[in-house]
Amino acid sequence: DTEVTQTPKHLVMGMTNKKSLKCEQHMGHRAMYWYKQKAKKPPELMFVYSYEKLSINESVPSRFSPECPNSSLLNLHLHALQPEDSALYLCASSRMETGGPLGSPLHFGNGTRLTVT
Amino acid sequence: AQKITQTQPGMFVQEKEAVTLDCTYDTSDPSYGLFWYKQPSSGEMIFLIYQGSYDQQNATEGRYSLNFQKARKSANLVISASQLGDSAMYFCAMRGGGLTGGGNKLTFGTGTQLKVEL
């Protein structure tokens, strides 16, 4: 069983809907991530939260809005998405490292498969 | 900027044989970490093995070993005694530090689809 839990597993939404993806971890990790993955492509980083503060935003469109309510939870709020936003959305967490060999792996959840109709 | 290159889109291996998945990288960071992940068709990203840029010895984890050649900037994954359950997509990834503040950014290569055959 993965230690990072994502809900829901599958989500179908229309372009005018508002929905949220949720991610939870209880490993005491203070870095949390959202990645987007299209079929047969590598994951692409969207956002990084460090100590509950947004530290990296990879120029993601504003229709994606991340939120980190506490050190265990990470949300991704979705609004007015486009069909091309359909993808697997992966949440991950890791220990914080700001230097050195950066050996802490990212622990990923099972992802949410999002379909925008 | 960091770049990870995986030149093998797909690989086949016979069950119980060993297989090497290639990965080369490019970075200007003096300190970095290299990772391999496995992604079955179910979608979960499974961490396999880690190699630090200052590590003197190649990393090993069970049937997985990492052939790290720093001068050539390569970090190939070797899977010994392949099993049917090893069929999956394999990603090489890197985290860099340095002064850019990108220490928490994990960059992935394009992946290699491995199929283990009877």
Side-chain angles (χ1 to χ4, degrees), chain B residues 27 49 51 58 77 94:
Chain B
T27 181
I49 195 167
Q51 180 83 45
N58 288 341
L77 177 71
M94 179 168 65

Side-chain angles (χ1 to χ4, degrees), chain B residues 93-110:
Chain B
M94 179 168 65
R95 289 175 83 179
L99 301 177
T100 63
N104 283 313
K105 186 172 180 177
L106 187 66
T107 302
F108 288 87
T110 51

